[in-house]
Amino acid sequence: MDFDALKRWAHAPWHCWLKEEKQWLEIFAELWSRLPAPVFETLIGRTRPLIVLPPVQQSRIVRITESLPVGAHILQLDTQLLQRPRPETLGILAHELAHIYIAATGDMISVEDLTNDLKADSLARQWGFEAELTQALCSDFDSAHPRRVLAKAA
């Protein structure tokens, strides 16, 4: 893991809220530590940064003062994730990071939401979040839902 890149990401002005939110900080520390190095480097790279916004329920202002000439990937958190078992939270966030990784690598495969969700699920499983993602999918979907069926078959 590129600790300089991690430090740069964590100290970006738009992530200053993380210092006050120990639960979120621990969740992201675990996510970053478990991701394959090339994935981690793509997600927090300088070209199109990943900006993690605090949950909307916290009513904070996040100032983005630097130029983002090619944009950014924005992940908006929800406090309801903290109400779930931690493995489910990790699985859901790994799935969302997979969507961002797919977009960052130009590997968008479909305009269909289900197809993209299945691809993101597959990547999250490849990254080592299979049990966590399966737990979340089993909590969220009925047994016939395609995402849950594929998770159970994997």
Side-chain angles (χ1 to χ4, degrees):
M1 176 183 295
D2 182 347
F3 288 106
D4 288 334
L6 177 60
K7 188 175 180 181
R8 188 173 51 253
W9 180 85
H11 290 289
W14 47 76
H15 292 137
C16 66
W17 67 273
L18 279 169
K19 293 177 217 165
E20 301 167 19
E21 301 292 335
K22 185 178 179 198
Q23 282 183 288
W24 287 116
L25 189 59
E26 289 172 354
I27 287 166
F28 276 95
E30 184 170 349
L31 283 166
W32 296 143
S33 71
R34 292 178 55 187
L35 287 173
V39 172
F40 169 77
E41 290 165 12
T42 298
L43 288 172
I44 68 164
R46 291 182 180 199
T47 305
R48 182 172 287 181
L50 169 63
I51 298 173
V52 179
L53 296 178
V56 294
Q57 299 88 343
Q58 293 181 346
S59 300
R60 292 186 186 213
I61 294 173
V62 177
R63 289 179 177 78
I64 300 174
T65 56
E66 77 179 56
S67 174
L68 300 169
V70 296
H73 296 286
I74 308 280
L75 177 60
Q76 177 72 64
L77 298 174
D78 187 317
T79 55
Q80 290 182 1
L81 284 172
L82 296 178
Q83 308 304 315
R84 299 178 76 126
R86 186 170 179 131
E88 290 182 18
T89 300
L90 291 168
I92 291 166
L93 289 173
H95 167 91
E96 296 306 326
L97 292 175
H99 278 297
I100 294 168
Y101 181 78
I102 290 166
T105 58
D107 193 24
M108 295 299 279
I109 56 172
S110 175
V111 294
E112 297 293 322
D113 288 341
L114 179 59
T115 303
N116 288 326
D117 278 339
L118 293 172
K119 175 71 173 175
D121 288 349
S122 176
L123 273 177
R125 282 194 300 275
Q126 288 175 34
W127 297 341
F129 294 92
E130 182 172 354
E132 295 89 341
L133 180 61
T134 299
Q135 183 176 333
L137 293 172
C138 288
S139 291
D140 292 347
F141 297 113
D142 66 59
S143 61
H145 192 282
R147 289 180 66 197
R148 184 169 168 183
V149 169
L150 284 173
K152 287 295 208 176

